[in-house]
Amino acid sequence: MSGDALAGPDGRLRCPWGLSTEDYVTYHDEEWGRPVHGDDALYERLCLEAFQSGLSWITILRRREGFRAAFAGFRIDEVARFTDADRERLLADPGIIRNRAKVDATLANARVLADWAEGELDELIWSHAPDPASRKAPAALADVPAITPESTALSKALKKRGIRFVGPTTAYALMQACGLVDDHLEDCVIRVPGGRS
């Protein structure tokens, strides 16, 4: 073992963050870094990454079903029709993070995206995926960046189109979560041949 990957309860090596709770093991093994497509699915991830800003991801992960219930399953067309009464309901909902700026951004972004053509969000986000051959697998957590030129470009492209609360760090977290980049450590079971199911 040359890097930071650690053995989990099953003896297989994983990224250390993916071992801190059972919720993280499942998220790490089954979801993080796997390609996500579809405007609604990407809108959900964009929103959740924005809500995570300044908080730990486990806080968001454990409230994910509450977010889905509160935001109509993150169906863009439905959220775009939310009213001021819906906004007040969201700000009083203990099942989500009741941050006014983040709630407002989520609603405003849905209204912007509702005017986009089907598949346009997917196309824009995925057009910023770097060539996998240009990226070396990280050996250690210190090798994983927080911002890249691609995430900065994605952030600028989204902001130019009217999307709020998506800085370069949030954009990079989105890229990691949605499989645009693979930041599983080189010794992680998810990255090694035959490790991913």
Side-chain angles (χ1 to χ4, degrees), residues 16-182:
W17 66 265
L19 293 170
S20 59
T21 71
E22 190 173 319
D23 295 331
Y24 267 162
V25 173
T26 301
Y27 178 69
H28 170 273
D29 287 5
E30 298 176 9
E31 192 169 353
W32 192 75
R34 298 201 183 204
V36 174
H37 286 282
D39 292 345
D40 289 344
L42 288 165
Y43 169 67
E44 174 183 353
R45 300 299 180 83
L46 184 64
C47 295
L48 294 178
E49 294 297 346
F51 272 103
Q52 186 271 330
S53 181
L55 303 170
S56 76
W57 179 245
I58 196 68
T59 301
I60 304 303
L61 195 57
R62 289 182 173 160
R63 294 183 186 202
R64 192 172 191 182
E65 292 310 314
F67 276 106
R68 285 175 171 164
F71 287 100
F74 291 100
R75 290 180 294 278
I76 294 168
D77 289 340
E78 289 186 40
V79 179
R81 292 192 298 269
F82 276 19
T83 64
D84 287 343
D86 289 309
R87 178 179 179 271
E88 293 310 310
R89 170 186 57 80
L90 292 166
L91 292 172
D93 188 339
I96 67 169
I97 304 300
R98 294 171 287 181
N99 177 294
R100 187 175 305 277
K102 294 175 183 181
V103 167
D104 287 347
T106 301
L107 300 179
N109 290 345
R111 292 179 189 120
V112 167
L113 292 170
D115 289 334
W116 291 21
E118 185 177 341
E120 195 170 350
L121 177 62
D122 189 301
E123 183 178 333
L124 186 145
I125 288 174
W126 277 91
S127 72
H128 289 82
D131 177 2
S134 71
R135 295 175 50 88
K136 185 178 179 206
L141 294 176
D143 298 333
V144 178
I147 297 173
T148 64
E150 294 87 0
S151 75
T152 300
L154 175 57
S155 171
K156 286 180 181 176
L158 288 166
K159 287 179 179 180
K160 185 177 181 181
R161 298 287 305 273
I163 302 300
R164 296 165 39 186
F165 230 103
V166 60
T169 304
T170 297
Y172 192 67
L174 175 75
M175 293 171 78
Q176 291 174 304
C178 295
L180 280 76
V181 296
D182 183 355

